[in-house]
Structure formats: structure tokens, C-alpha cells
Amino acid sequence: MSTLEHATPAKIARPVGRLVDEFQSGLDAPICLTWELTYACNLACVHCLSSSGRRDPRELSTDECKAVIDELQRMQVFYVNIGGGEPTVRKDFWELVDYATAHQVGVKFSTNGSRIDAEVAAKLAASDYVDVQISLDGATADVNDYVRGPGSYDTAMTAMQHLSDAGFEGFKLSVVCTRQNIGQLDEFKAIADRYGAQLRLTRLRPSGRGADTWDELHPLPHQQKELYDWLVAHGEDVLTGDSFFHLAAYGDALPGLNLCGAGRVVCLIDPIGDVYACPFAIHDEFLAGNLRAEGGFQKVWRESELFQELRAPQSAGACNSCQFFDKCRGGCMAAKFFTGLPMDGPDPECVLGHGEQLLADRGDDLLPKPSKDYSKKLSKRQRLEKAAAERGITLPDVLPSEVGAGAGPDAMPDRACDENPLAGFAVQQR
């Protein structure tokens, strides 16, 4: 049965037309949603859209996660895309997967493969309701490890070998398209075929740590055309998750909805229960509410002001006069926001070049600042200094924890991921 057959019809009665028009106004429940179970991760990918690395101590508990699954079952959500961070580092990960599938909520989870051994692969192969995506961003180790870190290529390949050996057919090989790997599309397809997997290509978004590396990694205009032609040639054999509808102005629309589904058919739940309109836009501007509040996820989905705005007719803005607007619909909301372009303007990678001049004229002061950053790249001292500067506080030259063990109640917090890294310090305001 197809995904769309599980979609709950929208409340508002209206004439039935094109499916994309029906979805434009939103559904009573998302067809699927992305659920980031944790921000903890054993890698530090330079394009990570959630700036993952450290766990947030406010993560939803096991019982809270099960309550969310119960709610998704009642809303008839077909499946969830579980990610992170690296979701398998949660001690209750498999317990939650089993609970979801037992309650008719299918699971697709994305992983770097570091915890997919032969035993786990056999468990996955035996389930009809769990799918897995192995992330690989280079068909060769040098290209992949430049983005995902040393050794990550071998880890992913080993995980795929385990899945293949276990007889798991049709798992996904997930690739974020970058300037460095566009020339490797045939090689990616060959790898997927070798392991009995299906290739899934997604677009690089300039969110999270990707905001810092987008200028270096995003495909060049001639590579965008190369990607489009390749996708047209491979048709239904390759999944895209509707990532590339901005390329439709090259010619025929690619398979899929070719629609920004943010707040209409998809959304994201983050590790602490915050609900965002778009899986690629973890920022306060796209925060619709928190499912820990009264009414839970259902109330956020159906009643949040942000989602209501997104489901209303949208202004085409500067793209209104473009003959290709009905195909590309102005491109990706997240891509525009994180590159500082107007939301009713062209996509930064508009194939007609309309975004290039806007990018050239854009000032750095227009770039939005991240709302969250769980990266491990800063030392404890650096994180404290950063947090202190944001609060107008001056730290002492030597912190209590730096003079040895047993520093007492003023010592450095044991958990690097504490919500307030200045907790416990006696400091002076400027």
C-alpha cells in the first residue's frame, strides 16, 4: 500500500483537484515526520543540519517517546524518519523502534552505520516495518571522509555489507549531494546495486553546520544541470525525498510532489519535543510549539499559528512573473532563509541564476544566527567563554575546576551538555 493511501484527509471540504493542491493546504496529520531522537553523535559531519555532537539533557524520556508514538498511531501517521545526531546511541533506541512497529507506526532511521553489526543487521532484515538509511557522502573514502570524518567511509561500507549478508534487500544508501561528489553519481548507484540497496539523493541545505560550509560544498550551476539530467535518466530507480524541485525549471518535473511540504505534510520533532515546520530548518523562526505542552503534538500540528500561515496561499513575490514558478514554486524555504534571501524570492540555487545576484548583494549581517548548536568543536573553556560573552559576563582567568580535583561546588559542571554551561560559577557582571 502506498504512503499516500495512509494520509488522513484535511478537515476543510473543497473540490478535489491535483494532489499537490490538496497537500498545499495541509492534512489532519503529517504523512510522515522526521524525529531527531538525540543530538548526541559520534561523528562531526561538517554539513550537519542539526549541529549535532552533544546530548541535550532535556531529551524526551523513554516514556515520553512512547506517548508520542501512541499519539502518532491515533493520528494515523504512516511512518517516522528517525535521525539525530546518531539515533542508535540512545540506550532505548531499539526499545522505541520495537514499540513503534508494535503500534502500527513504521520506522525509517538514518545512521552512520557505526552500530550496525551482523546481529543488528539480522534483526533489521527480519522486520517488515523497519527501514534503514546508511549515510555516505562520497563514493570514495577521500571524498566521504572530508565531509563526515576519518574512517566513516569504511564504517558505512561495513554496515552495508552486514545488511547485505543478512539478506536485507532495499535498504537505503543516503547521499547528500555536494560539489565534491556530483561526479560520482554513477559510482554511488553501483555501490547501492552491489549491496542490494536503493540509492537516495538529497539536497545540501545551508542549515546547522552546513551554514558555515555551504559556500564550499554546494554544487555549482553546471553541476546542478548534471544532477538534473542524471535524475531524469534514472527516473524511479532513485529516491530524492522531493529535495530537488528547484531544478524543475530545467524541463520536466522530477518524480514526486515537487512541493515544499513544510507544515503541510511533513514536520520535525527534535530531541526535547520542539516541533519545527521543516526538517531542514531547526531555527526559532520555524518553531511551531512543543509537544510537552497541553494538547501534545496533535494540537501543535493542527492549531499552531505558524502551520496555519504556511498552509495559507503564499505570495510568489519576485518569482511571480517567472514562467517556471508552477514547477519550482520558488524553491526551498530553508535554503532561502539560511542564506539570508527573502522568503518570497528565488531559491539561492535558482537554475535561471536569479538567486546569484541576490547572494552577491547580500550582506553578512543578513545571515541568521543558529538557534541551537550542539557541536563538540569547542573545549569546555571555549564554551564557557562563549556563553559568558553572550551574557555580558567576565570569567576569571583561572576557573575553580582548573586548579585540581575537589574544587567544591564552584567546579566545572560534570556534563558538558548542561543547559546552562555557567551553572555553579560565581562571576561578576561587567
Side-chain angles (χ1 to χ4, degrees):
M1 186 175 291
S2 71
T3 298
L4 301 185
E5 289 175 307
H6 288 266
T8 306
K11 283 184 177 180
I12 302 174
R14 55 185 176 274
V16 176
R18 296 184 308 166
L19 190 59
V20 67
D21 295 327
E22 294 295 301
F23 285 178
Q24 190 84 27
S25 300
L27 304 175
D28 266 2
I31 292 175
C32 65
L33 59 85
T34 298
W35 188 355
E36 311 284 32
L37 278 182
T38 183
Y39 285 128
C41 191
N42 55 330
L43 297 185
C45 303
V46 300
H47 60 0
C48 179
L49 62 90
S50 59
S51 298
S52 290
R54 295 173 290 117
R55 173 185 171 272
D56 191 311
R58 300 168 295 169
E59 278 181 6
L60 298 173
S61 68
T62 302
D63 287 342
E64 286 179 309
C65 288
K66 289 181 177 180
V68 173
I69 293 169
D70 291 339
E71 189 170 15
L72 298 181
Q73 181 188 24
R74 290 193 296 270
M75 294 176 70
Q76 300 181 49
V77 172
F78 180 42
Y79 72 93
V80 293
N81 290 311
I82 292 180
E86 171 54 43
T88 61
V89 304
R90 272 192 65 137
K91 294 180 180 179
D92 59 0
F93 175 73
W94 296 111
E95 179 182 352
L96 293 175
V97 169
D98 291 341
Y99 189 86
T101 57
H103 288 76
Q104 294 81 50
V105 178
V107 171
K108 178 187 295 182
F109 71 94
S110 298
T111 175
N112 55 44
S114 57
R115 300 200 173 195
I116 306 295
D117 57 18
E119 182 179 354
V120 168
K123 172 183 172 69
L124 291 169
S127 174
D128 293 329
Y129 301 101
V130 180
D131 197 7
V132 59
Q133 295 184 161
I134 304 296
S135 297
L136 188 74
D137 292 331
T140 53
D142 58 334
V143 174
N144 177 83
D145 292 4
Y146 176 76
V147 173
R148 303 188 62 83
S152 56
Y153 178 86
D154 290 340
T155 295
M157 299 295 278
T158 299
M160 288 191 286
Q161 186 65 62
H162 286 314
L163 292 169
S164 178
D165 291 344
F168 192 137
E169 296 182 357
F171 68 89
K172 309 301 183 287
L173 169 56
S174 183
V175 177
V176 176
C177 293
T178 66
R179 185 176 306 176
Q180 290 74 16
N181 68 22
I182 288 293
Q184 297 184 324
L185 296 176
D186 287 335
E187 295 173 68
F188 281 122
K189 185 66 169 61
I191 292 173
D193 291 345
R194 183 193 318 161
Y195 293 111
Q198 185 171 22
L199 180 60
R200 183 176 189 269
L201 302 180
T202 58
R203 183 182 179 186
L204 174 73
R205 265 76 169 201
S207 54
R209 286 197 292 270
D212 296 327
T213 57
W214 188 78
D215 287 338
E216 175 190 355
L217 297 181
H218 80 93
L220 297 170
H222 73 276
Q223 293 177 313
Q224 299 277 9
K225 182 62 164 63
E226 180 182 348
L227 172 61
Y228 172 79
D229 290 340
W230 194 90
L231 288 172
V232 169
H234 289 80
E236 299 290 343
D237 293 335
V238 177
L239 301 176
T240 64
D242 281 320
S243 288
F244 302 107
F245 57 90
H246 70 295
L247 300 180
Y250 279 129
D252 294 332
L254 297 169
L257 289 177
N258 287 287
L259 164 75
C260 173
R264 302 181 179 101
V265 296
V266 298
C267 66
L268 175 136
I269 300 174
D270 88 343
I272 63 173
D274 282 339
V275 181
Y276 294 87
C278 173
F280 307 105
I282 303 175
H283 190 279
D284 289 346
E285 287 291 324
F286 303 99
L287 177 60
N290 188 285
L291 54 74
R292 279 171 164 154
E294 184 179 356
F297 173 74
Q298 178 172 296
K299 183 174 182 179
V300 176
W301 175 260
R302 294 181 179 175
E303 300 181 21
S304 77
E305 182 178 345
L306 174 63
F307 285 177
Q308 296 302 318
E309 291 177 359
L310 289 172
R311 294 163 190 167
Q314 303 292 309
S315 168
C319 296
N320 187 54
S321 60
C322 179
Q323 61 179 318
F324 298 109
F325 177 74
D326 284 341
K327 289 186 175 182
C328 82
R329 296 177 178 265
C332 174
M333 177 179 71
K336 288 187 277 192
F337 178 78
F338 286 108
T339 53
L341 299 188
M343 299 298 287
D344 62 351
D347 188 285
E349 294 180 310
C350 168
V351 302
L352 301 181
H354 295 316
E356 294 178 17
Q357 188 58 51
L358 289 177
L359 289 174
D361 295 340
R362 173 207 63 193
D364 289 341
D365 58 325
L366 295 178
L367 293 176
K369 305 299 182 185
S371 296
K372 297 180 179 179
D373 191 342
Y374 293 89
S375 303
K376 294 179 179 178
K377 57 188 176 184
L378 300 180
S379 66
K380 289 183 179 181
R381 175 78 197 201
Q382 289 171 322
R383 285 198 300 275
L384 284 164
E385 290 174 342
K386 179 180 179 182
E390 291 172 349
R391 293 167 172 79
I393 294 172
T394 301
L395 289 179
D397 291 335
V398 179
L399 298 174
S401 63
E402 295 173 339
V403 299
D410 290 334
M412 178 80 70
D414 289 334
R415 300 173 72 176
C417 56
D418 279 350
E419 179 181 359
N420 178 10
L422 296 178
F425 287 106
V427 292
Q428 299 296 320
Q429 299 281 346
R430 288 175 180 159

